[in-house]
Amino acid sequence: MDKPTCQNCYLSLFARECPGRGAKGMKPIIFIGDSPTISDVKNNDVFTGRSNKLLREYINNYKLDYYSHLTNIIRCHCTETMDYYANKCKPNVINDIKLIKPTLIIPVGGFVYKQLKDVEYYNMKHIVNKPIAYANSIMIPIYSPSYIIKNKAFEEYDKSFSLISDIYAKINVYYARLI
């Protein structure tokens, strides 16, 4: 059986599989990271690296795991997240968003936000936890787990996940009334 490859760049030729590509089911919340770690490639899953375990813990603690689809902008492991690779893989994420039709889109970190919104300059302090409309969904940018760990800013993740959980619950209550 041939390994899946992406036609946009050469990185996938060397990857056994691109983590996140075969995620199960369509979920109403999509968390988008920058690129897979070596741990992600070994486990054939996303957000399994040391710092990304924090993100998974928060997703689980706030009981969002069942509703979440996890993926990356850059699908194959690369030594550094670069605009070149992100531009090649970005159409895959855009297609995922169109297929999944998520209620919430959560860009994890500034690099992902920059790629999705096509902006050059931004200040994470001004965009974190500020819901905006994006692709018929609500986008809520959050800090990357490495930033949270490095700055010991765990209260920021508490704020972010509390906001995500509250918005998601309110939307579900609203749609339940319509049915």
Side-chain angles (χ1 to χ4, degrees), residues 120-140:
E120 278 301 315
Y121 304 104
Y122 61 90
N123 185 337
M124 275 304 279
K125 289 179 184 176
H126 298 294
I127 61 174
V128 166
N129 299 333
K130 303 279 192 306
I132 58 171
Y134 180 83
N136 295 322
S137 300
I138 299 170
M139 177 188 282
I140 306 172

Side-chain angles (χ1 to χ4, degrees), residues 25-163:
M26 294 185 177
K27 308 296 181 175
I29 302 172
I30 185 168
F31 287 85
I32 306 172
D34 50 15
S35 69
T37 63
I38 293 210
S39 178
D40 294 345
V41 173
K42 286 179 184 175
N43 296 320
N44 195 29
D45 200 2
V46 292
F47 300 117
T48 62
R50 282 184 291 182
S51 63
N52 287 328
K53 285 183 181 177
L54 177 68
L55 181 69
R56 279 199 178 239
E57 284 177 21
Y58 271 86
I59 291 170
N60 290 335
N61 290 345
Y62 279 84
K63 311 249 186 292
L64 299 171
D65 50 335
Y66 178 76
Y67 308 103
S68 298
H69 176 87
L70 310 176
T71 191
N72 288 307
I73 284 260
I74 300 172
R75 299 296 172 95
C76 302
H77 176 70
C78 57
T79 53
E80 48 184 279
T81 55
M82 295 174 44
D83 290 334
Y84 172 79
Y85 299 125
N87 289 332
K88 298 290 184 183
C89 289
K90 184 176 168 182
N92 296 327
V93 172
I94 299 302
N95 285 336
D96 285 353
I97 291 170
K98 288 177 184 175
L99 286 171
I100 296 169
K101 297 177 183 159
T103 303
L104 301 176
I105 299 171
I106 314 298
V108 180
F111 181 81
V112 178
Y113 176 81
K114 175 183 150 186
Q115 293 301 319
L116 292 175
K117 292 292 287 177
D118 287 323
V119 294
E120 278 301 315
Y121 304 104
Y122 61 90
N123 185 337
M124 275 304 279
K125 289 179 184 176
H126 298 294
I127 61 174
V128 166
N129 299 333
K130 303 279 192 306
I132 58 171
Y134 180 83
N136 295 322
S137 300
I138 299 170
M139 177 188 282
I140 306 172
I142 65 172
Y143 286 114
S144 69
S146 56
Y147 173 88
I148 297 295
I149 292 169
K150 178 182 172 188
N151 293 298
K152 295 179 176 52
F154 298 101
E155 69 279 352
E156 284 296 328
Y157 258 19
D158 289 329
K159 289 179 199 173
S160 296
F161 279 89
S162 180
L163 176 68

